[in-house]
């Protein structure tokens, strides 16, 4: 039976980059007999314009019953001052929560052809291939209580709660260890167990999961501040980096920044086995370049590559697509963000030519 992919084009450059993915899918269909049921739905500002909400209940239901969801990006100046529940970004948080995608996979790969575009020296980043597994549904972004109180003297007190349960740590740790087995078999678990109770529990639970199920995988515990220094100093020492929502947010951006352009970086958010994954480029809707043909579509194309690998059970096609992207870059295909002159659709052409 063919699998179903739900496309959420979104706003700004979202539709421009997802169009290139649709072209890639057409080529895989025609040249490789790939069978895929592709659907689409409104999302973000486009959905607010059409039906008043950033994501409808019907779209959420369709996302939950698809095999994978691939989104472009949402947001833009038009909705920046809207009430919180009418903002495109709320649709995304709602979708992640409803799909219970608790493991955010963010690869940071430095393609050899682009090693000179990094802020680090070529020898430090050439060949870099590390993978963040960031917990996405818990921690300080969701913990209660949170708020801003007014104190008797009129000053204020703002607070958030960093909280993790055993189950929340276990389920994301399983994802990281299983992924490591398909890579270089190494996991670095990052927390602040020296000063935080939730960090201490994180270390204890990861240690136990490792002992019970994954003793064949090499595990090291690294304090998150030291990890930041190591990523900036010698990132290639890592393979899979497992961490919580907050540290993962910050450290994966650091790792992404050293690989070159934001237009290259894909991500996957996964839940329980057998449940659909949510795939998206890490960039936003880039209103400054929307409609100008300047968007690099590779982050979206590589997000689809992750969907082929993790949800659509076509690792063979994922390998093919990945190889095509590298070949296009090796032959000098560059959009403006990479110092080149190709427009969005010409970058799509370059990948398709290699396919
Ligand atoms: P952004 O990622 O949209 O843009 C940051 C910079 O990177 C801009 O200069 C942009 O031109 C450039 N850029 C981004 N993607 C690119 C690509 N594919 N090719 C070439 N250049 C690219 O971040 P922002 O400007 O902070 O946010 C714009 C809007 O996007 C906001 O409304 C924000 O809330 C939203 N946003 C959405 C998501 C999402 O949908 N997942 C993520 C981040 C930001």
């Amino acid at each position: 039976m063919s699998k179903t992919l739900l496309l959420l084009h979104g706003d700004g450059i979202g539709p421009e980059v997802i169009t290139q993915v649709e072209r890639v899918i057409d080529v895989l269909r025609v040249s490789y007999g790939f069978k895929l049921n592709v659907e689409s739905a409104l999302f973000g500002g486009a959905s607010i314009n059409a039906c008043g909400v950033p994501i409808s209940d019907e779209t959420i239901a369709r996302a939950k019953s698809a095999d994978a969801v691939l989104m472009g990006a949402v947001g833009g100046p038009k909705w920046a001052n809207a009430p919180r529940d009418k903002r495109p970004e709320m649709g995304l948080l709602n979708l992640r929560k409803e799909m219970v995608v608790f493991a955010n996979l963010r690869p940071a790969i430095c393609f050899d052809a682009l090693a000179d575009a990094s802020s680090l020296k070529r020898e430090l980043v050439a060949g870099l291939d590390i993978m963040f597994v960031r917990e996405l549904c818990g921690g300080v972004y969701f913990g209660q209580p949170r708020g801003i109180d007014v104190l008797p003297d009129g000053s204020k007190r703002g607070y958030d709660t960093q909280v993790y349960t055993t189950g929340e740590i276990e389920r994301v740790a399983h994802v990281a260890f299983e992924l490591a087995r398909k890579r270089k078999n190494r996991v670095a678990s990052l927390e602040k167990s020296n000063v935080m109770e939730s960090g201490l529990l994180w270390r204890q639970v990861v240690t136990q999961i490792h002992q019970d199920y994954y003793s064949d995988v090499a595990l090291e515990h690294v304090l998150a501040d030291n990890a930041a220094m190591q990523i900036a100093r010698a990132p290639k020492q890592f393979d899979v980096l497992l961490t919580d929502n907050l540290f993962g947010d910050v450290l994966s951006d650091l790792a992404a920044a050293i690989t070159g352009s934001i237009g290259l970086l894909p991500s996957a958010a996964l839940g329980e086995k057998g449940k659909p994954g949510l795939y998206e480029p890490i960039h936003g809707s880039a209103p400054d370049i929307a409609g100008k043909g300047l968007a690099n579509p590779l982050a979206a194309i590589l997000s689809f590559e992750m969907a082929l690998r993790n949800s659509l059970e076509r690792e063979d096609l994922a390998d093919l697509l990945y190889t095509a992207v590298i070949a296009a870059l090796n032959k000098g295909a560059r959009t403006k963000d990479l110092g080149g002159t190709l427009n969005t659709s010409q970058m799509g052409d370059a990948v398709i030519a290699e396919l």
Side-chain angles (χ1 to χ4, degrees):
M1 235 172 61
S2 57
K3 305 254 179 203
T4 296
L5 173 70
L6 178 67
L7 295 178
L8 303 173
H9 295 71
D11 309 314
I13 64 167
E16 300 172 40
V17 295
I18 296 296
T19 298
Q20 299 311 311
V21 175
E22 292 177 286
R23 294 180 64 212
V24 164
I25 293 171
D26 283 342
V27 173
L28 295 180
R29 279 195 180 115
V30 173
S31 303
Y32 297 95
F34 181 37
K35 291 194 171 33
L36 183 67
N37 175 29
V38 180
E39 299 180 354
S40 54
L42 292 175
F43 186 40
S47 173
I48 293 174
N49 289 348
C51 52
V53 287
I55 189 161
S56 67
D57 292 346
E58 190 216 333
T59 300
I60 288 178
R62 287 172 67 194
K64 285 159 109 172
S65 64
D67 295 290
V69 179
L70 175 66
M71 57 166 279
V74 291
K78 190 173 167 192
W79 306 280
N81 297 318
R84 194 167 281 278
D85 64 330
K86 292 278 188 291
R87 294 224 189 125
E89 293 81 357
M90 285 313 289
L92 178 54
L93 291 185
N94 196 6
L95 181 64
R96 286 176 179 159
K97 197 175 95 208
E98 288 285 338
M99 290 179 73
V100 202
V101 281
F102 54 81
N104 187 204
L105 274 49
R106 281 182 159 214
I109 296 171
C110 184
F111 299 111
D112 200 43
L114 300 176
D116 292 319
S118 170
S119 52
L120 294 187
K121 294 189 200 94
R122 165 174 266 279
E123 62 267 27
L124 293 182
V125 288
L128 177 73
D129 178 359
I130 60 180
M131 174 73 84
F132 268 88
V133 178
R134 165 191 170 196
E135 202 289 326
L136 201 59
C137 290
V140 73
Y141 294 167
F142 292 92
Q144 294 291 341
R146 59 187 291 165
I148 301 177
D149 295 344
V150 181
L151 299 176
D153 68 356
S155 64
K156 293 180 181 173
R157 174 176 171 267
Y159 51 97
D160 298 273
T161 303
Q162 164 81 341
V163 55
Y164 272 108
T165 62
T166 307
E168 285 174 324
I169 303 168
E170 282 176 352
R171 64 185 184 177
V172 73
H174 280 293
V175 173
F177 283 117
E178 278 174 23
L179 204 62
R181 278 183 174 156
K182 296 184 194 157
R183 295 171 49 97
K184 295 183 201 118
N185 220 28
R186 288 188 283 124
V187 171
S189 175
L190 321 178
E191 28 63 8
K192 289 281 288 175
S193 57
N194 52 341
V195 287
M196 294 170 72
E197 298 311 313
S198 58
L200 188 57
L201 180 69
W202 185 281
R203 185 176 287 221
Q204 289 166 352
V205 173
V206 171
T207 302
Q208 193 64 49
I209 290 285
H210 175 250
Q211 193 180 307
D212 291 349
Y213 302 97
Y214 303 101
S215 52
D216 55 306
V217 179
L219 168 67
E220 65 171 331
H221 300 281
V222 185
L223 295 177
D225 48 345
N226 182 26
M229 188 171 71
Q230 297 303 328
I231 291 166
R233 200 185 62 82
K236 284 193 268 184
Q237 67 184 284
F238 294 115
D239 178 19
V240 174
L241 299 106
L242 164 66
T243 191
D244 74 12
N245 207 342
L246 176 62
F247 294 137
D249 194 0
V250 177
L251 296 175
S252 67
D253 266 27
L254 170 63
I258 62 176
T259 64
S261 168
I262 192 169
L264 286 172
L265 298 165
S267 77
L270 306 178
E272 294 296 339
K273 271 203 179 92
K275 299 279 184 195
L278 174 62
Y279 299 85
E280 53 178 305
I282 74 159
H283 62 72
S285 58
D288 54 333
I289 58 166
K292 297 182 181 163
L294 294 176
N296 184 344
L298 292 185
I301 290 174
L302 291 169
S303 299
F304 175 61
E305 182 263 349
M306 293 187 85
L308 285 169
R309 208 174 284 290
N310 293 289
S311 292
L312 301 175
E313 293 176 4
R314 289 305 300 260
E315 279 203 43
D316 56 332
L317 295 182
D319 289 344
L320 204 85
L321 183 53
Y322 191 76
T323 307
V325 169
I326 291 180
L329 290 171
N330 285 344
K331 287 188 181 162
R334 302 278 190 279
T335 38
K336 198 168 168 219
D337 54 306
L338 301 173
T341 56
L342 296 189
N343 65 30
T344 308
S345 124
Q346 287 166 333
M347 185 56 119
D349 293 343
V351 174
I352 285 168
E354 297 303 326
L355 280 177

